[in-house]
Amino acid sequence: MVSQPQSGQGSLGTWDWTSIVGNMFPLLVALSIIVLWAGITLEGAEEMLEEYAILAVMVPTMIDMGGNLGAILSSRLSTRFHLGTTELDPTDRVLWANVGAILALAATIFTALAFGAYALGVLVGSPLPLSTLLTISLLSGMSVAVIAIVFSFAATYGSYRFGIDPDDTTIPIVTNVVDVFGMLIFIGVSGLVLGF
């Protein structure tokens, strides 16, 4: 079991707004700067997104869903830490069941994204083959899901070990990291598949 930090250490278990703001403000400033970098990356892919406009429609959904998957897992891990029911033991079947559920959700969501993008592309006259959209969506989406899982575990465990309430830190960390890596992965996979 992960031992609880001593009283007075960090914000674990406290509702003191100064402690929460003190922990969150520097984190949010740093994460905002990192997300700006993702925007610059998107600007660098402008030519590809202009030629294949349907990809630009997929970007927000790809990033948003990756962040949501990470937020779900972070929330579940945080709850288990607060209840004292987890040790991050590799033999813990409940942890692996949660990881499996996130991967299954990701496969479902990103398959649906490809079909939705294909249908929209046909409607607006900017179609890419369904097989291409499935390849881009599933490769990107499953990669983003794995990153969301890794950072969910790291952010939850790290926050807890440093005596900071994981409820205050995990979701901003995971969603921002997924924003940046999701953008890079999506643009990279799209470029490879489409030959850019």
Side-chain angles (χ1 to χ4, degrees), residues 85-111:
T85 60
T86 194
E87 300 177 19
L88 290 183
D89 180 0
T91 62
D92 185 345
R93 290 174 22 168
V94 174
L95 285 177
W96 284 109
N98 281 295
V99 168
I102 295 299
L103 291 173
L105 276 170
T108 304
I109 289 167
F110 296 120
T111 298

Side-chain angles (χ1 to χ4, degrees), residues 163-188:
I164 300 170
D165 190 341
D167 290 339
D168 295 340
T169 58
T170 55
I171 292 176
I173 290 171
V174 171
T175 55
N176 281 282
V177 165
V178 167
D179 283 355
V180 172
F181 283 109
M183 182 72 66
L184 295 173
I185 289 169
F186 182 76
I187 297 301

Side-chain angles (χ1 to χ4, degrees), residues 43-55:
E43 189 176 313
E46 189 175 352
E47 180 185 335
M48 179 177 63
L49 295 175
E50 284 178 3
E51 186 171 337
Y52 301 105
I54 200 67
L55 295 178

Side-chain angles (χ1 to χ4, degrees), residues 106-178:
T108 304
I109 289 167
F110 296 120
T111 298
L113 174 60
F115 277 94
Y118 178 74
L120 185 61
V122 169
L123 284 175
V124 300
S126 177
L128 276 171
L130 180 59
S131 60
T132 301
L133 290 171
L134 277 168
T135 302
I136 291 170
S137 189
L138 285 172
L139 279 175
S140 301
M142 296 309 287
S143 299
V144 167
V146 169
I147 288 170
I149 290 167
V150 168
F151 277 92
S152 294
F153 276 98
T156 305
Y157 184 73
S159 295
Y160 199 82
R161 292 301 294 170
F162 286 112
I164 300 170
D165 190 341
D167 290 339
D168 295 340
T169 58
T170 55
I171 292 176
I173 290 171
V174 171
T175 55
N176 281 282
V177 165
V178 167

Side-chain angles (χ1 to χ4, degrees), residues 31-96:
L31 291 172
S32 295
I33 292 167
I34 292 169
V35 170
L36 285 173
W37 180 54
I40 293 168
T41 302
L42 183 60
E43 189 176 313
E46 189 175 352
E47 180 185 335
M48 179 177 63
L49 295 175
E50 284 178 3
E51 186 171 337
Y52 301 105
I54 200 67
L55 295 178
V57 174
M58 293 174 71
V59 170
T61 305
M62 176 70 61
I63 293 169
D64 190 45
M65 288 300 110
N68 289 344
L69 293 170
I72 291 167
L73 184 59
S74 294
S75 177
R76 296 184 65 80
L77 290 171
S78 182
T79 298
R80 291 193 75 205
F81 270 116
H82 284 303
L83 294 175
T85 60
T86 194
E87 300 177 19
L88 290 183
D89 180 0
T91 62
D92 185 345
R93 290 174 22 168
V94 174
L95 285 177
W96 284 109

